[in-house]
Structure formats: structure tokens, C-alpha cells
Amino acid sequence: MIRIATTYHNNTISTIPSGSPQILNLSEQSELDILCCQIKQKKNKDSQSALRNLASSLHMSCSSIVLTSSQDNDQSETIFSMLTGESVWMLNSGSIALPTSKKAKHRVQFGLVRKGSTAVLIINMQYIDLRRERLATLHALFSHQLFKEQQYGVVLICTERAFHLSKKEAAQLTAGTGFVLHRSLQAEKAKSKGALLLFVPQDQSAAGMLFGRQGDYSLVACGAAAGDALLLEFQVQAVVRNKRKRPRFPLSFAEQWAGYKENLRPTIM
């Protein structure tokens, strides 16, 4: 199973009240693979030390941080961060600026990760209030070169607010990409903000996806609350159509340098 969660914090990540009825106690036997954070803060405030403390408490690495400007003029900014667990390769990460219908730019964070033989493209983005702008940004995302370069097992979009798409809208956005919207997970509690949209390859049957726990959770690690989050557990069962000598999934730089081996696993640096 791949366990991913998304959490939104306003101004701080250390004093968020826990309002979720479900507790996920993270330990060596129950760890997150990926945590996407969206942190709204005042400009010029340094939250990287708090992020490192959060990553340490969750036994994760802070793999990617992207700073974006606020959509309004309230002197705030949003930090996007992706934390990864010990069994996950972070193959590539960064940010891209997507045009909207007003020809403005909307910056989103992306990360290409792999666990086992499943490659996952993760998009961490800020919610856009205007529906027309939101759909324009998503259209620009699915038209981006990211969707032409690699074959992903799934694509996940994380936001800090509910992100509803109709089947017709989702089909129009993903037309020509080979992906379809398979699951839309929205936070149900007011204190547990967030949304997770999962897209799968068009030829991936529903039977090829297995799901575990999902919904609103309070994350607890080392006896301390780490905040509320929206959690999704899933597993991709790829259908092998023909035998190939080379692996079908993207390799990390370490694997490329060492030569791919079936038992090669990530190590803590």
C-alpha cells in the first residue's frame, strides 16, 4: 500500500487543534509514505525549521519545498512541501508556472516518487476560488510536458480545500492524456481541510486498484499531535502484457548509476 496524506496549516504547523474523530498513530509499523503540506504564513517568515521538526517527528524526509505568492494582497505566502518516508524514492521534484484564463501564472509543486514498482506523479497546488480560473489552470496542467514524458502508475492532485469536479469536466481536462479521474476524496470536517484527486491510466481497470483507509485523520507521532490530514491508502496492481528485460518504471539516479537490481531499496542519507 502507498499511504499519502495532505494537510493545510495557517501561519504555523505546531499549534493546530486536532478536530478529527479518527487517530492515525504513526510508528515504525504504521508510517506515511508521502505527506503534502500547504502552509499559509506571513511573508518573510521562516517555517523551514518547523517543517524539519515536523518531518523528524513523523520519521520522514523533507524532500521538496516551494514558496509561492498569495492570490490576494494580504502580505501572505504559501509554502508547499512534500515529505517522504524511508521506502519512497523521490525521483524528481520542483515547480511549474501554469497560465490561467486571465493570462496570470499559478505556481504548483510537483514530485515524481516511486515505491516498489509504482511511479506516482504528485501535484501540490493552492485552491483557486474562481471556478473558471481553476478549470483553466487544471487544463494547463494536463496539457503540460509532464504528461508527455513519463508513464505514471497514478497521478494525485492535493489541495487545501474541497475540489469538486464533475465527470464531464474531468473527462474534458484529461482528454488525450490517457488518464481518467478514478477517485475524489474530500475532507468532511471543517477543521480537516483538504482534497485528494486520484487519476489512473485509462487502460487501468478498476480491479487494478486496491484501497485501504481513507478520510479525515489526526496524525500522532511520538506521542504528539502533528495536525489534521486527509489520508488515502491505495495499491496499483499493474497488468503485465508482455515480458521485458528492463523495468517498466522510472529509476532513481542511484539506481541508474549502480545498475538496476531488484533488491535495491532507498536508504536514509
Side-chain angles (χ1 to χ4, degrees):
M1 284 283 183
I2 295 177
R3 182 178 297 152
I4 182 171
T6 181
T7 182
Y8 170 75
H9 297 147
N10 194 354
N11 296 321
T12 178
I13 60 175
S14 59
T15 60
I16 299 298
S18 177
S20 174
Q22 302 185 84
I23 302 297
L24 181 64
N25 193 3
L26 300 173
S27 63
E28 291 183 0
Q29 291 76 34
S30 176
E31 294 183 346
L32 284 176
D33 294 306
I34 306 150
L35 177 63
C36 292
C37 303
Q38 302 100 25
I39 305 170
K40 186 177 181 181
Q41 63 171 23
K42 293 182 179 180
K43 288 186 176 180
N44 302 319
K45 181 180 178 180
D46 182 16
S47 292
Q48 294 195 25
S49 59
L51 273 171
R52 286 192 291 268
N53 292 336
L54 175 64
S56 177
S57 70
L58 297 175
H59 309 292
M60 304 181 79
S61 299
C62 194
S63 298
S64 177
I65 298 176
V66 172
L67 188 65
T68 67
S69 298
S70 175
Q71 297 182 67
D72 45 38
N73 296 317
D74 62 355
Q75 298 301 308
S76 66
E77 56 193 4
T78 298
I79 292 180
F80 294 142
S81 179
M82 289 186 188
L83 311 185
T84 54
E86 296 179 7
S87 61
V88 176
W89 290 107
M90 175 63 81
L91 304 181
N92 193 10
S93 64
S95 67
I96 52 178
L98 300 173
T100 66
S101 60
K102 292 182 178 179
K103 297 184 179 180
K105 295 291 184 180
H106 186 78
R107 186 161 294 278
V108 304
Q109 182 186 34
F110 73 89
L112 174 58
V113 304
R114 202 191 83 224
K115 181 178 181 181
S117 59
T118 302
V120 182
L121 176 64
I122 305 166
I123 304 296
N124 199 11
M125 64 185 293
Q126 195 172 4
Y127 182 85
I128 303 174
D129 290 323
L130 294 177
R131 185 177 183 81
R132 182 181 176 185
E133 297 295 303
R134 189 162 67 246
L135 292 176
T137 301
L138 287 173
H139 177 75
L141 171 64
F142 283 102
S143 301
H144 195 270
Q145 189 66 27
L146 276 173
F147 286 87
K148 299 178 176 65
E149 294 179 344
Q150 295 279 1
Q151 294 295 321
Y152 312 116
V154 299
V155 175
L156 276 161
I157 295 181
C158 305
T159 70
E160 83 278 14
R161 287 172 57 187
F163 208 113
H164 296 287
L165 279 177
S166 68
K167 290 183 178 180
K168 181 178 179 181
E169 288 172 335
Q172 291 174 342
L173 290 171
T174 59
T177 65
F179 286 91
V180 293
L181 178 62
H182 186 64
R183 182 151 300 197
S184 177
L185 188 63
Q186 313 289 335
E188 297 179 358
K189 301 295 180 181
K191 293 182 180 180
S192 303
K193 301 177 177 68
L196 279 168
L197 305 181
L198 184 143
F199 298 82
V200 300
Q202 200 163 10
D203 59 353
Q204 175 75 49
S205 66
M209 297 293 300
L210 298 177
F211 292 94
R213 286 179 290 184
Q214 51 191 296
D216 302 331
Y217 282 84
S218 288
L219 305 181
V220 175
C222 301
D228 291 338
L230 189 63
L231 175 75
L232 176 65
E233 289 181 344
F234 66 92
Q235 181 176 335
V236 179
Q237 294 182 323
V239 179
V240 179
R241 294 178 175 82
N242 52 62
K243 295 182 179 180
R244 299 185 180 183
K245 294 182 179 180
R246 299 184 64 183
R248 299 173 63 249
F249 45 83
L251 301 179
S252 69
F253 288 122
E255 288 172 315
Q256 293 178 37
W257 291 335
Y260 174 73
K261 294 181 180 179
E262 189 69 28
N263 60 352
L264 187 60
R265 291 292 181 268
T267 55
I268 302 175
M269 302 300 289

